Amino acid sequence: MKFIRTVWGRERGRWAGDQLTPSQAVVYDRMRDLFEVGEYEEAEAGARALAAAPRHFWDRGPVVEWLGKALATAAAIAHGRGAEVLAELESLIADLERTTGTGRVLLLEVRVNRVVVLVEQKRYTEAEAEADGILRATTRLAHLTKVWDIELTTLVNLAAALCGQGRYEEAEAIARGNLPRADMAAVLQRVLVRSLNGQGRYEEALAEARRLTPDRVRAASGAQDIGAATALYGLGRRSEAETTARQALNACEQFLHPIHPRTQEARTLLGRITAADPLA
């Protein structure tokens, strides 16, 4: 389970607010709110309109465009269209390299989302390298602004990249080591479930999956059931595994874009379960 940065959190909104007119700030906050409740299509469209709006003489550089593009790409990734916006992310990162001070945090937000896309594309070693770079950068910025949330988000995505490389023990260590301080404990627990499944520790994985509170975040649709179904299949409980995998696929198809990587993951898992069961 990857975690997407909800671009430019409110605790750092003062910097952004200083760069936006009151009307721009209202639009931006509305699009952020739509993002947070899972209205990704509308949030992306509004953020792109904000980014494309003509500049005025009182605008302070390209900050409005940067914020709009950052939020638009985050919404596209959450919806499942990360591959479509990877080139845009990389272009935006190049532009944001010009920022200084607390403005560098926006650069890190966008780099975190690039890690998400790299993991989804199974470019795990690149994702790991990028995550390592972000963690080094957060250390350099810690004296200027609060960056613990970016650090934690990066660790979640680093663990996902390690799982992709079969380094499940390392991913488990990251998940367990950060659970006590995690505002995003549910995301770390899902990474923990994946790492335990990868090690064949299915009883533990199933117990962790069942401890999870169902996540109401649209971007997480199907993730919990995929972890549980994988554990059930590993335990030989095929009927339960099939039912749970179908629940995962239904959730993905209902709430995510058709090309979302998790939809294919759920479909592949269900196919593996049913192929192994001649009565299915």
Side-chain angles (χ1 to χ4, degrees), residues 1-6 11-12 109 112 147-158 174-176 178-192 212 215 217 220:
M1 173 63 193
K2 288 75 67 182
F3 192 79
I4 302 144
R5 286 300 307 162
T6 54
E11 68 278 1
R12 288 185 291 273
E109 300 263 6
V112 169
V147 291
W148 68 264
D149 54 337
I150 291 179
E151 178 193 11
L152 191 54
T153 305
T154 304
L155 287 168
V156 170
N157 291 304
L158 174 59
I174 289 174
R176 291 195 187 279
N178 289 280
L179 273 170
R181 69 183 185 100
D183 282 356
M184 54 189 76
V187 184
L188 279 164
Q189 278 184 283
R190 286 193 289 271
V191 172
L192 179 58
L212 278 164
D215 201 324
V217 178

Side-chain angles (χ1 to χ4, degrees), residues 87-241:
E88 184 178 3
L89 281 172
E90 291 173 343
S91 175
L92 181 57
I93 288 168
D95 288 342
L96 287 168
E97 291 287 357
R98 292 181 271 157
T99 59
T100 58
T102 55
R104 299 287 289 180
V105 181
L106 180 59
L107 169 62
L108 296 185
E109 300 263 6
V110 178
R111 288 179 66 187
V112 169
N113 287 345
R114 181 174 182 269
V115 175
V116 173
V117 179
L118 291 174
V119 170
E120 290 180 345
Q121 293 193 327
K122 305 185 188 305
R123 294 163 61 178
Y124 300 122
T125 56
E126 292 175 73
E128 180 186 0
E130 178 73 333
D132 286 339
I134 294 168
L135 292 172
R136 288 193 296 272
T138 58
T139 301
R140 293 194 294 271
L141 279 176
H143 68 289
L144 291 175
T145 186
K146 186 173 73 173
V147 291
W148 68 264
D149 54 337
I150 291 179
E151 178 193 11
L152 191 54
T153 305
T154 304
L155 287 168
V156 170
N157 291 304
L158 174 59
L162 293 172
C163 283
Q165 297 174 68
R167 293 158 62 186
Y168 299 111
E169 293 87 350
E170 294 173 69
E172 180 188 357
I174 289 174
R176 291 195 187 279
N178 289 280
L179 273 170
R181 69 183 185 100
D183 282 356
M184 54 189 76
V187 184
L188 279 164
Q189 278 184 283
R190 286 193 289 271
V191 172
L192 179 58
V193 170
R194 183 180 290 267
S195 70
L196 293 170
N197 275 327
Q199 295 174 67
R201 293 158 60 186
Y202 300 119
E203 289 282 6
E204 294 175 70
L206 184 60
E208 288 291 341
R210 287 181 167 169
R211 263 197 290 272
L212 278 164
T213 301
D215 201 324
R216 297 181 182 180
V217 178
R218 182 180 169 194
S221 297
Q224 181 177 349
D225 282 336
I226 285 175
T230 302
L232 288 164
Y233 179 55
L235 292 168
R237 295 159 61 176
R238 289 177 179 169
S239 176
E240 294 172 81

Side-chain angles (χ1 to χ4, degrees), residues 7-29:
V7 179
W8 207 259
R10 295 190 190 282
E11 68 278 1
R12 288 185 291 273
R14 183 177 302 172
W15 177 86
D18 289 344
Q19 318 298 315
L20 306 180
T21 66
S23 61
Q24 289 169 337
V26 167
V27 172
Y28 179 72
D29 285 345

Side-chain angles (χ1 to χ4, degrees), residues 24-66:
Q24 289 169 337
V26 167
V27 172
Y28 179 72
D29 285 345
R30 187 187 310 130
M31 295 308 106
R32 261 183 44 86
D33 289 342
L34 287 170
F35 179 101
E36 290 177 357
V37 298
E39 298 292 341
Y40 302 128
E41 302 92 331
E42 191 174 350
E44 181 183 355
R48 291 198 180 283
L50 180 64
R55 289 192 195 173
H56 304 289
F57 71 89
W58 58 78
D59 287 342
R60 300 187 181 182
V63 174
V64 176
E65 180 183 354
W66 289 342

